[in-house]
Amino acid sequence: IEVLDWVDSKGGYAHLSVGTVNDAGLRGTLATRDIAEGETLAYIPRELIVEFGAPAHDKPPENAARLLARQRRDPAWHAAFLPYWRSLPAPASRAIFCKEMFTQRHRDLLQDAEMAAVVVEETGVARQVYNGSSSWWQRWLGQAPPVSLQGLLPEGAAHKISWQEFAHTTCHVGAYGFGCRGAWGGRRVCLVPLLDLMNHAAPDLANVIVHQDEGNGSYGCTATRAIRAGEEVTQTYSAAALRSDYSLLHYGFVLDSERPLLAGLDHMARFEHDNDDLYLQHQSLMSHEEAQRLSGILASFPTTEAEDLQLLQGTGAIFVPPEDLRLRRVSEVVPVNRELVGI
Ligand SMILES: C[S@@+](CC[C@H](N)C(=O)[O-])C[C@H]1O[C@@H](n2cnc3c(N)ncnc32)[C@H](O)[C@@H]1O
């Protein structure tokens, strides 16, 4: 597809094709040749990456407003990224569905008051950004999103964007965005063409990790095990996406898994709040209290960390570097071999 040639023409590469990966017609990425473990099978240069937001406010609706505004204010930029926009599911296509598109009927199906509250709260923020319905003092007091579609676009231009288009863009930014390091430091949300066509799989099934070069901001994708030509290429989006409720609400899918990862203690409604320091954000499926309890049990084990490490090395498993291995095991559900990709 066009986006592959575009990446190629801009100095990137990918040993990937885009195609149907299951009987339900899901689209995803496939290896075009055999890939060895540790090989970097895709490289996306910095200039193809779309970056938004600031650390304090990087919610999908605000970034959607920034994206839509930039597309309209800067037609040359929009045109330069056409192959990327065309690679994404069209609005109203069944390939993309998340909470911004929920109707009352979908909310009722949740059968869970807290999840329904998350939907109401987050779509409420999206509505505020779309309508620009908050006053300057609400924004100043932090009671409303700092960005509105009207505020970013010239007079009258915001009205030409329908709620459906806005909800679709919010869903796209949320479900296709990557956490990245901004050009001037700080955490941002980025859109990474082509690599965002990879589907999610649990860590034991995923075969690549996606990483950003700290120096030049480019993105790479490295095989965590050997991949055969034609095999689907998948990554683990985040530990949070291993939870059925989280993946359903934010991405519109649920993985087949023997044990659904759900617990009352770490309900996603809490999980989502950045300033709730009771919970370990976007990393663990538990509260700090629970992490401390489990850490205490691990600390009382008869073997040392070094001995555990030796055992793990013998298995060829991918694991985090030795320092505080046990404690990290508690707080990081998805271990990442940073050495493998040199980050
Ligand atoms: C980053 S995109 C991946 C590419 C997407 N499949 C496409 O064709 O544009 C994320 C979306 O892909 C779908 N998806 C990703 N992983 C999935 C999985 N394991 N099972 C079902 N759908 C998945 C969901 O619709 C999700 O919101």
Side-chain angles (χ1 to χ4, degrees), residues 91-92 100-101 127 130 161-170:
E100 288 76 18
M101 297 160 183
R127 284 273 177 198
Y130 179 70
I161 296 173
S162 68
W163 164 252
Q164 280 71 20
E165 184 181 1
F166 185 72
H168 173 81
T169 308
T170 301

Side-chain angles (χ1 to χ4, degrees), residues 26-27 89 95 175-176 196-200 237 251 253 255:
L26 178 67
R27 185 174 66 151
Y176 286 58
D196 68 0
L197 298 185
M198 277 177 198
N199 291 320
H200 164 89
Y237 289 172
Y251 296 104
F253 69 81
L255 289 185

Side-chain angles (χ1 to χ4, degrees), residues 233-305:
V233 174
T234 54
Q235 60 140 341
T236 302
Y237 289 172
S238 70
L242 299 175
R243 297 179 50 141
S244 307
D245 55 355
Y246 188 97
S247 71
L248 179 63
L249 217 52
H250 293 278
Y251 296 104
F253 69 81
V254 173
L255 289 185
D256 280 340
S257 110
E258 282 178 28
R259 253 179 341 114
L261 285 160
L262 283 175
L265 184 70
D266 58 24
H267 195 281
M268 60 169 300
R270 306 276 181 150
F271 198 68
E272 272 288 281
H273 290 282
D274 289 343
N275 56 5
D276 185 352
D277 59 13
L278 248 186
Y279 289 84
L280 299 169
Q281 292 302 321
H282 301 289
Q283 289 194 25
S284 85
L285 308 177
M286 69 189 88
S287 68
H288 282 294
E289 209 178 32
E290 181 65 356
Q292 265 167 11
R293 192 183 70 82
L294 294 175
S295 302
I297 295 173
L298 289 172
S300 70
F301 275 14
T303 52
T304 63
E305 294 244 351

